[in-house]
Amino acid sequence: MSDNLWAALQQASSGPRPYPHPLSSFANGVQDVSSDGESTNKYDLLCPRGGCGSVILKQGVGKLIERESVKMEPPDVPSNPLLPSLPESPEQSHWWLITPNPMQFENIGFSRPVESLSVSPSGKKLKLLACAECDLGPLGWSEEGGTEFWIACSRVGYRSGEASS
Ligand SMILES: [Zn+2]
């Protein structure tokens, strides 16, 4: 908590916030935001809320994985336009996999463990991941006590095009 707060304070004092480009703005989708070969994230991952843009993950830390989708919110929660709905399992969707612990993140918030919103592969409880600054989420999930952290590619912004601005 204090680490995240400190990082947030540092970021707040370091000039204009980065603009989160949504995945939908890239013509080739995940191909455009992953690096060749290793398939890691080519750009910093940002909170998708314009005006927040908190840095969630530095470039090159997450690994692009196509895997069975995981539904992260209960059906009665109104959808947020910033958080596109994900396909129903067993359909596949794209994720950034971060291992082995939350220290890999620049800023991330965790929910309390939740039960049966969603079926995780092993049936364990899930923790949902959200922006540490503005609480927007769920952006991803992890199993309680797990070493894998999954961020939905469509639910984060990308820090692209900074060099030309
Ligand atoms: Zn945010």
Side-chain angles (χ1 to χ4, degrees):
M1 158 72 186
S2 56
D3 282 347
N4 281 348
L5 182 60
W6 177 238
L9 288 170
Q10 283 185 312
Q11 196 204 8
S13 62
S14 64
R17 288 173 173 272
Y19 175 77
H21 297 265
L23 184 63
S24 57
S25 69
F26 293 89
N28 299 307
V30 291
Q31 278 179 33
D32 285 346
V33 295
S34 56
S35 50
D36 299 332
E38 292 279 303
S39 284
T40 55
N41 55 308
K42 193 164 153 186
Y43 305 109
D44 292 350
L45 305 187
L46 307 173
C47 171
R49 193 196 298 277
C52 178
S54 174
V55 179
I56 292 169
L57 193 75
K58 284 288 187 191
Q59 63 174 85
V61 179
K63 192 168 181 226
L64 180 65
I65 307 272
E66 187 174 11
R67 55 155 290 157
E68 190 173 323
S69 190
V70 171
K71 204 155 177 67
M72 294 185 284
E73 52 267 291
D76 55 341
V77 170
S79 62
N80 184 319
L82 291 170
L83 304 175
S85 61
L86 300 172
E88 299 270 357
S89 164
E91 274 189 67
Q92 307 273 302
S93 57
H94 285 100
W95 302 82
W96 297 113
L97 171 61
I98 295 97
T99 58
N101 61 52
M103 297 303 291
Q104 305 303 313
F105 290 94
E106 297 301 303
N107 288 292
I108 195 71
F110 286 90
S111 75
R112 288 196 198 115
V114 293
E115 226 167 342
S116 63
L117 286 184
S118 149
V119 181
S120 79
S122 65
K124 288 185 179 163
K125 286 187 183 176
L126 298 184
K127 288 189 168 192
L128 302 177
L129 281 54
C131 174
E133 282 196 52
C134 73
D135 266 346
L136 180 64
L139 307 176
W141 60 275
S142 68
E143 287 181 353
E144 189 178 18
T147 57
E148 295 181 347
F149 302 84
W150 298 87
I151 296 279
C153 294
S154 60
R155 290 195 169 189
V156 285
Y158 295 86
R159 189 183 204 162
S160 71
E162 301 287 308
S164 60
S165 63

